[in-house]
């Protein structure tokens, strides 16, 4: 575990002085923050300032990001924890390449079930995207945009299954499911994912 960088802060004559971060410490805080500046800034603000002052080359961050992805893939194989999958989706989405898309698909197949309704919704949102539709976030858009329509269809089929809760009794959760299912319809229509109305009605009550 990396050191608490807040402890490096020193006040001297009313000025804030920050000690220099080593490359080893930079790697540790970058990996611990899941390669996200936002997470780093939120959880370790002082460390974030030191990290950005290093002005590390993007090539170095890509090496560390690849390392983090492999670490999460190994964890996924061991645990099948859906939370690891969600983190993996967030990191790999920055690449938008075929190799990382395959890692996401493999990790998706390794999720251990059963999952609670809120957990299934969480996984579905990682595939559908957590931003506005026009932003085209999420693994389904990613697959389609790099010419992998077949994988986009597979991912959408997973989402439809995750959101299929015909006997959900919690009205709050049921409302969230309806919202995500509406998003599914929009994405299927926009990307022309070849789901027939008969198929959707028969299996998912659309």
């Amino acid at each position: 575990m990396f050191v608490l960088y807040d402890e490096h802060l020193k006040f001297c004559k009313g000025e804030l002085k920050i000690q220099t971060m080593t490359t080893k410490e930079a790697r540790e805080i970058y990996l611990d923050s899941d390669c996200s500046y936002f997470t780093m800034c939120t959880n370790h603000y002082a460390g974030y300032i030191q990290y950005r002052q290093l002005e590390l080359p993007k090539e170095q961050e890509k090496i560390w990001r690849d390392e983090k992805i492999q670490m999460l893939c190994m964890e996924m194989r061991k645990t099948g924890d859906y939370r690891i999958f969600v983190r993996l989706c967030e990191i790999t989405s920055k690449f938008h390449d075929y190799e990382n898309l395959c890692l996401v698909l493999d990790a998706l197949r390794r999720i251990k079930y059963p999952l609670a309704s809120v957990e299934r919704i969480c996984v579905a949102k990682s595939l559908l995207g957590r931003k506005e539709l026009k932003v085209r976030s999420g693994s389904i858009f990613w697959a389609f945009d790099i010419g992998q329509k077949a994988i986009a269809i597979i991912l959408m089929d997973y989402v439809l299954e995750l959101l299929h809760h015909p006997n959900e009794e919690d009205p709050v959760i049921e409302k969230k499911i309806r919202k995500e299912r509406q998003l599914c319809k929009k994405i299927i229509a926009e990307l022309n994912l070849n789901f027939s109305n008969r198929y959707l009605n028969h299996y998912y009550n659309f």
Side-chain angles (χ1 to χ4, degrees):
M1 187 67 179
F2 62 90
V3 297
L4 296 176
Y5 297 106
D6 294 312
E7 296 177 358
H8 288 332
L9 297 180
K10 292 183 178 180
F11 288 93
C12 181
K13 296 181 180 181
E15 295 182 355
L16 184 63
K17 291 190 175 181
I18 304 176
Q19 294 182 3
T20 303
M21 178 183 288
T22 66
T23 302
K24 180 180 179 181
E25 289 172 333
R27 172 185 172 276
E28 289 174 348
I29 194 173
Y30 188 71
L31 295 181
D32 185 78
S33 302
D34 278 352
C35 313
S36 166
Y37 291 155
F38 177 79
T39 301
M40 189 188 302
C41 183
T42 302
N43 297 339
H44 315 287
Y45 180 67
Y48 168 76
I49 295 174
Q50 295 175 71
Y51 182 91
R52 295 309 297 266
Q53 286 180 336
L54 290 177
E55 297 182 347
L56 293 164
K58 294 299 181 182
E59 292 77 12
Q60 180 61 69
E61 289 188 333
K62 184 181 184 303
I63 291 172
W64 289 342
R65 202 153 56 229
D66 286 339
E67 183 180 346
K68 184 65 178 185
I69 289 170
Q70 291 305 316
M71 290 167 63
L72 291 176
C73 286
M74 288 182 63
E75 285 188 61
M76 199 66 209
R77 294 186 189 102
K78 292 178 181 178
T79 67
D81 190 333
Y82 81 96
R83 291 167 295 189
I84 302 296
F85 173 77
V86 171
R87 291 167 60 193
L88 180 65
C89 283
E90 183 64 28
I91 297 174
T92 54
S93 65
K94 299 177 177 68
F95 287 89
H96 271 222
D97 58 23
Y98 177 73
E99 290 74 16
N100 281 293
L101 180 63
C102 289
L103 292 179
V104 168
L105 183 57
D106 178 72
L108 178 62
R109 289 167 170 160
R110 295 179 185 275
I111 293 177
K112 286 188 177 180
Y113 292 88
L115 295 176
S117 296
V118 291
E119 295 169 345
R120 293 168 73 95
I121 293 172
C122 184
V123 174
K125 287 175 74 69
S126 292
L127 298 172
L128 291 171
R130 300 178 182 276
K131 300 178 182 179
E132 294 182 22
L133 187 63
K134 62 182 180 181
V135 178
R136 299 174 74 88
S137 63
S139 303
I140 293 173
F141 276 118
W142 167 10
F144 185 86
D145 288 343
I146 65 170
Q148 297 296 324
K149 185 176 180 179
I151 294 181
I153 292 172
I154 292 171
L155 294 175
M156 179 58 81
D157 209 33
Y158 268 99
V159 171
L160 294 173
E161 180 63 31
L162 287 163
L163 297 176
H164 186 50
H165 292 246
N167 300 316
E168 180 59 57
E169 297 179 353
D170 188 321
V172 175
I173 294 178
E174 201 275 332
K175 183 178 180 180
K176 291 180 179 179
I177 291 172
R178 284 204 314 270
K179 179 181 177 181
E180 298 306 319
R181 282 160 65 91
Q182 286 298 320
L183 181 57
C184 287
K185 288 183 178 181
K186 292 178 181 179
I187 294 176
I188 289 172
E190 180 172 336
L191 303 184
N192 189 25
L193 294 184
N194 302 332
F195 287 94
S196 69
N197 289 331
R198 180 179 180 183
Y199 176 83
L200 295 175
N201 288 331
H202 179 73
Y203 287 103
Y204 302 115
N205 300 323
F206 266 50

